[in-house]
Amino acid sequence: MSNGTPSFQGSQELSFFGNNKTTVFEEERENCVKMETNLKPAIARHRRRIPGQGNDSPTTHQSFRRDIEHAAAETYLITGLSFKLLRYLGVGYRWITKLLALLCYAMLLLPGFLQVAYYYYFSSQVHRSVIYGDQPRNRLDLYLPIDYEGKKPVVIFVTGGAWVIGYKAWGSLLGFQLAERDIIVACLDYRNFPQGTVSDMIKDVSQGISFICNNIAAVGGDPDRIYLVGQSAGAHISACALLEQAISESQGESCSWSVSQIKAYFSLSGGYNLVNLVDHFHNRGLYRSIFLSIMEGENSLTKYSPELLVQDKSIAKAISLLPPFSLFHGTDDKSIPSVASENFADALRKAGGHAELILYEGKSHTDMFVQDPLRGGKDKLFEHMVSVIHADDHEALAKDAMAPPMRRFVPEILLKLAGHISPF
């Protein structure tokens, strides 16, 4: 590139729309377009206003209309999928009681959720619904640090939601907190059931990872420092995506991204042996018939069980390509027992992979991801992740050591009540 100017090349074009609300990467479908731009001044201007295409920025009215149209489209999509899901669920007391408990749980934590929602919708650091593919749920949210100087480490977050209710905004609190530590965060959305089954989810997540690996440098991310985080069902899907990619690479297939680009994988409360979890999920309200529909039949359970896959000696070369795994789990997790992470860590080590197991005594399925971050103060899991991400950056580690405790979002009494009533 002449004059030292960074470039954003290929079949994708970087465009900024609206009043600091939405960043959109548009794929040019008919013509391959190359765009060269000096990104640093563009990002500096972005701090004040987001320039649109052409000579003039969209008006506030146009931006507001675009946000409304986008919200309406997503509401229509999710409402339609909800009705379709209800037809699958039928009438069952387990899932109905879980739904009621979920509503009460959300109401108790509403003071914190409202604060996070305000940040999500109105902060200039958040860029919602970046398009990474051609499916309706192929969207991601970007959380950018305030300081734009230098290349930033990047976290790709894949949310949970029982393969049914996952949504990219669930990662907004994590995105907010990591951005405060000078880390760029991309929260991926993907097709949930019944819009898609597990293979669609894995395909979406892999495509989202590829998009970030190939394009994050355009907004100041370091493509050599990318970390993957998965939570609950998102942890399972992410592990499957990593294994699928490693197997493809080990067989010499052409790939749009490489497992070597992922420096480490952090898994929160994941499940990795679906064969062992079918009956457990059924008793928890995710009925066997629905779960098997999500996983494409009983014969596919082994195929989508990372713990069982890594035991296959024919893919030993693929295991050697995997990044280090850090598996976090609460010992009081009733949704996915902590033994799931223990067994997966053992299987990975025996297969020649690198796996670290960190158990949190007395923590539930949501404590580490919801209640503890809303509680504020020093969060052990969060600090562990940040210490790994910043391990080779002494200046960042020094800043982390001086960082103030995270602020509290919800009173302790509401957090404790929510923990008792949580359906997870």
Side-chain angles (χ1 to χ4, degrees):
M1 180 58 54
S2 61
N3 300 326
T5 305
S7 69
F8 182 88
Q9 298 182 351
S11 62
Q12 291 164 325
E13 182 177 10
L14 176 61
S15 304
F16 294 102
F17 293 98
N19 54 345
N20 292 354
K21 301 296 196 305
T22 306
T23 304
V24 180
F25 288 84
E26 291 190 320
E27 182 174 352
E28 192 68 44
R29 300 188 183 278
E30 298 180 357
N31 300 304
C32 184
V33 177
K34 291 184 179 181
M35 182 181 71
E36 298 181 1
T37 181
N38 192 325
L39 290 172
K40 289 186 177 180
I43 291 174
R45 290 195 302 273
H46 152 72
R47 297 284 301 139
R48 300 185 295 274
R49 62 180 181 84
I50 302 298
Q53 288 181 312
N55 296 324
D56 299 318
S57 299
T59 65
T60 302
H61 174 73
Q62 290 172 323
S63 175
F64 179 74
R65 184 178 65 182
R66 186 178 296 110
D67 283 344
I68 293 296
E69 289 174 350
H70 174 72
E74 289 206 344
T75 300
Y76 176 80
L77 171 67
I78 292 171
T79 301
L81 293 173
S82 298
F83 280 112
K84 188 175 181 181
L85 177 63
L86 287 174
R87 290 200 299 272
Y88 275 93
L89 291 172
V91 178
Y93 77 93
R94 286 195 186 99
W95 75 261
I96 290 176
T97 55
K98 296 292 183 187
L99 177 61
L100 292 174
L102 176 61
L103 293 174
C104 294
Y105 174 81
M107 289 301 296
L108 288 168
L109 299 181
L110 190 61
F113 292 159
L114 288 175
Q115 294 175 67
V116 176
Y118 181 84
Y119 163 79
Y120 178 72
Y121 282 105
F122 296 103
S123 172
S124 63
Q125 294 172 251
V126 184
H127 306 285
R128 296 178 284 110
S129 294
V130 176
I131 300 171
Y132 70 80
D134 56 5
Q135 295 296 321
R137 297 292 296 275
N138 288 171
R139 306 288 186 270
L140 61 86
D141 295 329
L142 277 177
Y143 299 78
L144 303 180
I146 292 176
D147 177 15
Y148 284 91
E149 294 302 318
K151 291 183 178 180
K152 309 297 181 185
V154 181
V155 162
I156 300 173
F157 174 70
V158 184
T159 185
W163 302 273
V164 171
I165 58 171
Y167 185 58
K168 55 188 171 61
W170 299 169
S172 53
L173 182 55
L174 178 67
F176 168 63
Q177 292 172 333
L178 286 174
E180 285 191 327
R181 295 295 186 91
D182 224 21
I183 298 167
I184 293 175
V185 181
C187 293
L188 297 184
D189 212 359
Y190 55 89
R191 283 171 285 180
N192 289 173
F193 183 79
Q195 189 182 21
T197 54
V198 65
S199 62
D200 299 313
M201 301 175 199
I202 295 169
K203 179 181 178 181
D204 288 352
V205 167
S206 183
Q207 189 173 357
I209 294 172
S210 173
F211 182 85
I212 290 299
C213 288
N214 290 303
N215 295 297
I216 198 62
V219 288
D222 188 345
D224 295 322
R225 287 190 294 163
I226 297 178
Y227 300 82
L228 182 62
V229 179
Q231 186 261 335
S232 190
H236 164 257
I237 296 167
S238 302
C240 287
L242 283 173
L243 272 169
E244 186 177 278
Q245 185 71 15
I247 292 170
S248 295
E249 287 185 42
S250 68
Q251 295 173 349
E253 297 179 14
S254 177
C255 301
S256 62
W257 63 283
S258 172
V259 171
S260 64
Q261 294 177 268
I262 308 300
K263 305 300 291 183
Y265 172 54
F266 303 105
S267 168
L268 284 62
S269 311
Y272 313 98
N273 188 331
L274 303 184
V275 176
N276 289 346
L277 289 170
V278 175
D279 290 335
H280 175 78
F281 288 148
H282 179 82
N283 294 331
R284 296 284 298 171
L286 184 56
Y287 300 128
R288 174 185 290 269
S289 60
I290 300 167
F291 184 68
L292 292 181
S293 295
I294 295 171
M295 298 303 161
E296 302 173 0
E298 192 163 4
N299 293 333
S300 296
L301 293 181
T302 299
K303 177 183 178 182
Y304 296 117
S305 294
E307 179 190 327
L308 302 179
L309 284 175
V310 300
Q311 297 175 40
D312 184 351
K313 293 183 180 179
S314 67
I315 65 166
K317 184 177 179 181
I319 303 302
S320 68
L321 300 177
L322 292 173
F325 279 48
S326 293
L327 308 178
F328 304 96
H329 221 120
T331 60
D332 200 28
D333 190 332
K334 295 181 174 59
S335 292
I336 302 178
S338 58
V339 69
S341 288
E342 295 175 47
N343 290 342
F344 186 38
D346 287 340
L348 271 171
R349 291 172 188 142
K350 290 176 182 177
H354 302 280
E356 177 187 23
L357 175 68
I358 303 99
L359 297 178
Y360 291 90
E361 194 67 33
K363 296 293 184 181
S364 72
H365 193 67
T366 56
D367 274 330
M368 299 184 297
F369 185 67
V370 182
Q371 286 99 292
D372 286 350
L374 289 174
R375 180 173 282 113
K378 289 289 185 181
D379 186 328
K380 289 183 179 179
L381 187 153
F382 178 83
E383 295 297 337
H384 183 103
M385 287 174 53
V386 172
S387 68
V388 173
I389 294 169
H390 285 158
D392 298 325
D393 189 336
H394 298 297
E395 183 179 347
L397 287 173
K399 289 181 179 178
D400 291 336
M402 300 297 293
M406 293 185 291
R407 69 185 183 89
R408 178 183 285 274
F409 288 86
V410 178
E412 187 63 26
I413 187 170
L414 294 182
L415 288 167
K416 289 191 174 183
L417 285 172
H420 285 301
I421 204 171
S422 172
F424 304 108

